[in-house]
Amino acid sequence: MSAPERIPPGGVTATDPAGAELLAHGALTVRGRISDASNAALYCTVTHEGREAACVYKPVAGERPLWDFPDGTLARREVAAYEVSEATGWGLVPPTVLRDGPYGEGMCQLWIETAPESDLLALVDAREPEPGWKAIGLAEVGEGRTALLVHADDERLRRLAVLDAVINNADRKGGHLLPTADGRLYGIDHGVTFNAENKLRTLLWGWAGEPLTGEALDVLKGLRAALEPGGRLAVALTALITPAEVDATRARAEALLETGTHPEPSGDWPAIPWPPV
């Protein structure tokens, strides 16, 4: 028997149906555990019809209960984030499916190999960011010193900031940003999203209060239509999150269109996740 055809890491984009099909129907083999994950996250290979790829499998059985996210599961919210990402057409979340695995139902997501070096976040000893950077806020760096935390003024990050606002991402850390050698950027770890209450917590505040781009407004109009009762995206999300959360997602898209600007920190919830990376 010939060796399985490997899908190169990062070679299947978020809009390639081959990736989702492989994840959904392939045989999962656990290769190890990702030790720094707060919930059970297993590094696996998945094979199907002569094709093979690396992936992450997060079984529901390995999730820790969260008092502020009592409804649903982390796994289903991860898949819901992928569905919204796909509806934007931006392909910001790696192919992600809900399926049975060796430890029961869980989320299965294509493994993404990151570029060795990428300038997306930085700490600078300055009061204002340099051109090409956006300020996040001051951070303590030890011995009573502070530095300015900045992120790149990058179109890919700006798109991700819009996606996070729609899905109400409560944990957009630097380590959840995966740039690849081909110039794409993926966001991962979307288990704490879609809460009906405003819980947006992110490092991508650099555009707060600024006008949304024309592209973003067009995408939001499409999301609003797809989230209408009976709409394609609304139907997909209803199988993954609660009706109240679907309604809240629609309301967030509508609110962004009404204001025409990137959201600002509410003051009712910590604006930046900890640790930020």
Side-chain angles (χ1 to χ4, degrees), residues 107-227:
M107 175 277 273
C108 189
Q109 184 175 83
L110 188 75
W111 180 267
I112 299 296
E113 290 289 342
T114 59
E117 294 183 7
S118 180
D119 294 329
L120 295 177
L121 297 167
L123 279 170
V124 297
D125 188 13
R127 291 183 177 273
E128 298 292 336
E130 295 182 357
W133 294 87
K134 307 291 284 187
I136 303 169
L138 293 174
E140 295 184 6
V141 294
E143 300 180 352
R145 295 178 55 247
T146 59
L148 185 65
L149 182 61
V150 297
H151 66 67
D153 188 1
D154 186 303
E155 178 187 70
R156 301 169 301 170
L157 289 179
R158 191 164 191 173
R159 289 173 173 175
L160 196 57
V162 174
L163 176 67
D164 284 343
V166 174
I167 67 175
N168 198 16
N169 193 350
D171 196 32
R172 176 59 73 205
K173 297 177 179 177
H176 300 168
L177 304 173
L178 303 184
T180 63
D182 63 359
R184 297 184 66 89
L185 176 70
Y186 295 96
I188 61 168
D189 285 348
H190 298 109
V192 286
T193 48
F194 294 101
N195 201 296
E197 299 179 5
N198 180 17
K199 293 185 180 292
L200 184 59
R201 187 167 59 175
T202 176
L203 285 178
L204 305 181
W205 287 116
W207 298 282
E210 293 187 12
L212 292 162
T213 65
E215 177 195 47
L217 292 171
D218 288 341
V219 164
L220 288 166
K221 290 174 184 176
L223 286 181
R224 180 174 60 185
L227 286 165

